[in-house]
Structures are given as C-alpha cells and as structure tokens.
Amino acid sequence: MDATLIPDLGVMSRIDGLLASVGPVAGLKVVDIGCGEGHVARAFAEQGATVIGYDPFIPPTDWIEAGDGKFRLAHGTADAIPEPDASADLVLFVFSLHHVPQHQLAGAMKEAKRLLKPDGKLCIAEPIAEGPNQYVMEVYHDETEVRRVADEAMAAFAAPIFGSQKVIHYRERRVFPDFDAFSAVAIAGTRFNDYKVEDVLSPLVRRRFDEMYNICGGNFDQPIRLNIFA
C-alpha cells in the first residue's frame, strides 16, 4: 500500500483540520462512526454534506437541516452499521476509534470498507498521547494504551484492504485561562467516559495544570494525526 506523509497543517480547529484534509464535502454522503452528540456531523452538514452519525450511546434524531446539508444521529456499533454496501463517499472516525472495543476493531475496519463507494475515503482522526493536555489528563483519564491499540488496528486491519494512505498532522487549539475552565471541559466528558468529577478535581490534576500553565501560558493544544485511506 502506498503511504504519503504531507507537512503539518499547524494550529487549526478540529473541524477546520478535518475539512482541510478531506477536501470539499458538499453533495457527499458521509457516515460518522462514533459521532457522540453530533458536532462533526452538524459541521459537515453545514458544508453541504448529508451525514448519518452512528453511536451506541446517543439518542437517535430525525433529519436536521444544517446549512446546505442535513444530518441525523442513530444507534449503531462500529462493526455493524445499518447502511447499504458502497453507499458512502466518506466514512469518519473522529476521536472515536480508540473507544471501539478491541474485539470489534477488525470488524470496524472491514465495515468501513464495505460502506464506501469504490472511490470513497476513510478518515480516522486520533489524538496523539503527548503534550501539555495529555500530561494533565493522564492523571484521571490515561488513554495511551487504547490509542496505541487503535493505531495498531489501522496498521493491521485498514492498511491491507485499502490502496493508499495519507497521513496528516495538525494541532487543535485549546486555550484555558484557568483551572476552572479546564475542569469544566473535563467534567463534561464524564458523560461518555469512565472517570468521575472528583478525579478531575484532585490536587494532583490541579498541580499539573498549574505546572503546564506556567510553561505554556494557558495553551494546551492537542496534537492530532489523521489517516486517510482510499
């Protein structure tokens, strides 16, 4: 399989980095796997795509108009998406592949391939376990191992069934003026993760935040790697 590495895109929002990497999405059918509350689905719909987001933990919705496109959310697991063969132009995993249970990862990559049209693309965006945000977060929610497993799954199960791969890096801007702002974002994540509010508010997390704040001035940018398979 051919692999292409392009230069770092620099600092961008998560959505802007995705759109810069996959190109125009107007008129495309997009399947967003592990969609959460639908932020990416809505953003792509606003650019003119028709998006169906699947997640096992969110309530389904009807079609929602957004910008020049539309989206809806539905129940589904990564290895069993109820969509026809060769029906999608783009399949997304945005910060979600490392949440797929390990025993489902091979099936998830095969399912993405099944969903895609012959000229379709699979885009997997994963946070890299490094930087100031990781240093603070690992105290209460260390995803280093599950992200490593997700990386290995791409190499083992996606690369062999796609013809090419492009790897793109950028950094998602995350600025926190104080610990309260950081902890509010972290606490919101307890809805979908296995840590608790008291874990976020522990003295060690606060000390690490203050340490990084003094070094980075509130800039906790998150490194992201995109793997685009075609």
Side-chain angles (χ1 to χ4, degrees):
M1 184 177 95
D2 296 331
T4 302
L5 177 65
I6 75 167
D8 194 306
L9 297 179
V11 178
M12 310 183 82
S13 73
R14 186 181 306 185
I15 297 299
D16 287 346
L18 289 167
L19 291 170
S21 300
V22 303
V25 298
L28 300 186
K29 178 181 176 181
V30 179
V31 177
D32 180 12
I33 301 177
C35 63
E37 295 177 314
H39 299 300
V40 172
R42 177 181 291 276
F44 273 59
E46 289 173 348
Q47 298 297 314
T50 297
V51 188
I52 305 176
Y54 285 96
D55 196 294
F57 302 115
I58 48 90
T61 70
D62 294 327
W63 284 105
I64 300 170
E65 301 290 331
D68 294 326
K70 61 181 180 178
F71 73 99
R72 69 177 179 91
L73 308 181
H75 285 294
T77 59
D79 59 345
I81 300 297
E83 295 289 328
D85 294 355
S87 60
D89 299 288
L90 179 65
V91 172
L92 300 173
F93 285 85
V94 180
F95 282 35
S96 59
L97 187 63
H98 65 274
H99 289 293
V100 175
Q102 188 170 356
H103 69 276
Q104 293 180 2
L105 285 166
M109 296 298 92
K110 292 178 182 178
E111 188 72 341
K113 180 68 172 176
R114 179 190 71 79
L115 293 170
L116 286 167
K117 297 176 182 178
D119 59 348
K121 297 176 182 178
L122 166 63
C123 176
I124 301 174
E126 280 287 300
I128 299 173
E130 61 184 41
N133 193 64
Q134 170 67 21
Y135 178 70
V136 180
M137 184 181 75
E138 68 186 11
V139 176
Y140 61 89
H141 188 53
D142 188 359
E143 294 185 326
T144 303
E145 177 61 17
V146 291
R147 294 178 189 177
R148 182 191 65 78
V149 170
D151 290 345
E152 291 180 350
M154 283 189 276
F157 307 125
I161 59 176
F162 286 89
S164 65
Q165 178 182 185
K166 181 163 61 175
V167 182
I168 300 169
H169 291 263
Y170 68 101
R171 295 178 305 285
E172 179 184 18
R173 175 48 45 91
R174 296 186 183 182
V175 177
F176 300 108
D178 52 36
F179 182 73
D180 287 345
F182 175 88
S183 62
V185 173
I187 289 169
T190 58
R191 291 173 294 175
F192 301 108
N193 294 287
D194 60 357
Y195 59 89
K196 301 176 182 179
V197 172
E198 52 265 36
D199 300 328
V200 176
L201 299 179
S202 75
L204 179 56
V205 174
R206 184 181 290 273
R207 286 199 299 272
R208 287 200 176 192
F209 176 87
D210 290 342
E211 180 184 346
M212 289 294 99
Y213 186 90
N214 290 333
I215 294 171
C216 304
N219 184 347
F220 288 73
D221 292 350
Q222 173 62 55
I224 297 172
R225 188 190 65 248
L226 272 69
N227 292 71
I228 300 180
F229 297 92

